[in-house]
Amino acid sequence: MCGRYAVTTDPAKLAAEIDAVNEVPEPAGADSTDLDAAPRSPGVNYNVAPTTTVMTVVKRHSPDDPDDDPLLRVRAMRWGLVPPWAKEVGKGPLLFNARAESAAEKSSFRSSVKSRRCLVPMDGWYEWKKGPADSKGKPTKIPFFMSPQDGTRLFMAGLWSVWHPKTDAESSEKAAQPLLSCSILTTDAVGELRDVHDRMPLIMPYENWDAWLDPDGRAPDELFAPPAESLVDAIAIREVAPLVNRVANNGPELLNPL
């Protein structure tokens, strides 16, 4: 699975890095919960958790010219997909992960698999391995951080959705803006990653971006398969301190080897 990760860039830098259009709005007030307000701008975060506003990469046509060539776009989304048919945000399951091998069969993800696929950039992700029992006999979990050995960025396969809040037809108030949300696809762990956990986020290499992000059709089935072992061999695995267990902890020290 993938329930926590780290990212050390901001939307503008990411857009420049991958030649994309930055569509992340300026940050709203830190305490804003209004859907009409722009989401808080995602950026450097060493402890990204579900429900956080995160950066994603999509490839879409211009809304003003649907016949033009689609462009890469960096967008802010809520991590935790909200299906279009949901009545409220936060009332159903927290869909921050989706199983790559069965997402197309699930009502929450079926439409997204067809035409709303995205990438979730990250420096690496955290996972917890079962550890020995403590002095009281309770099981422990040991945190690990997985990231590329060469320090490059990872882009994970994801699905996204658009949720429109219900509005009162008799109300004259401005309708709330739609909510964009996403889920990270997971697959069977490969290679040495199996020693930490039996699942891992689905890494999407650059050469598959065009097919994965194609807004006009479903991605080939083979892109939903676990990554090649040669790709996973380039991932470094290191044990880190339990600081990451608390979402409130957010600093570069979380990435330090134990």
Side-chain angles (χ1 to χ4, degrees):
M1 62 176 295
C2 179
R4 212 76 66 79
Y5 67 88
V7 62
T8 57
T9 191
D10 59 44
K13 291 180 180 179
L14 178 67
E17 178 183 313
I18 63 174
D19 193 22
V21 179
N22 179 20
E23 295 185 344
V24 178
E26 291 298 319
D31 298 326
S32 175
T33 58
D34 184 0
L35 286 176
D36 285 328
R40 279 191 288 171
S41 179
V44 176
N45 191 337
Y46 295 92
N47 202 356
V48 184
T51 73
T52 303
T53 299
V54 301
M55 285 184 295
T56 63
V57 179
V58 300
K59 194 171 188 179
R60 310 302 289 179
H61 296 281
S62 168
D64 300 322
D65 188 3
D67 294 325
D68 72 346
D69 292 332
L71 299 175
L72 288 178
R73 303 172 188 274
V74 177
R75 290 181 175 175
M77 298 189 190
R78 175 189 190 267
W79 185 20
L81 188 141
V82 180
W85 40 261
K87 293 182 179 180
E88 294 182 62
V89 175
K91 293 296 183 181
L94 185 55
L95 304 175
F96 59 92
N97 281 167
R99 296 176 72 91
E101 57 268 41
S102 61
E105 304 167 7
K106 306 297 183 180
S107 59
S108 297
F109 305 116
R110 190 179 297 124
S111 62
S112 297
V113 168
K114 292 180 180 178
S115 59
R116 284 187 173 139
R117 300 174 300 276
C118 65
L119 299 170
V120 180
M122 62 179 70
D123 291 54
W125 77 99
Y126 300 96
E127 195 53 80
W128 283 260
K129 180 179 180 179
K130 292 182 179 179
D134 61 17
S135 59
K136 297 181 179 179
K138 295 182 178 180
T140 60
K141 291 186 177 181
I142 304 170
F144 287 81
F145 185 69
M146 279 66 65
S147 62
Q149 297 176 8
D150 60 5
T152 54
R153 203 177 318 285
L154 290 167
F155 290 83
M156 303 306 185
L159 305 173
W160 65 284
S161 181
V162 182
W163 180 81
H164 294 272
K166 289 186 176 181
T167 56
D168 186 349
E170 298 180 358
S171 174
S172 60
E173 295 182 3
K174 177 185 175 182
Q177 293 296 314
L179 174 69
L180 305 185
S181 60
C182 66
S183 182
I184 295 176
L185 286 172
T186 66
T187 187
D188 289 334
V190 175
E192 293 184 1
L193 293 177
R194 288 192 291 258
D195 296 335
V196 179
H197 199 277
D198 62 348
R199 302 289 294 180
M200 62 175 285
L202 179 58
I203 302 171
M204 191 56 58
Y206 179 76
E207 59 266 25
N208 293 337
W209 283 19
D210 283 343
W212 179 254
L213 296 175
D214 182 3
D216 302 316
R218 192 184 189 282
D221 289 343
E222 55 266 27
L223 296 191
F224 290 83
E229 192 156 341
S230 58
L231 187 64
V232 175
D233 286 343
I235 301 293
I237 305 171
R238 63 178 182 269
E239 183 178 349
V240 293
L243 287 170
V244 69
N245 294 352
R246 293 191 61 211
V247 176
N249 294 330
N250 188 349
E253 65 278 4
L254 271 63
L255 306 184
N256 293 337
L258 187 65

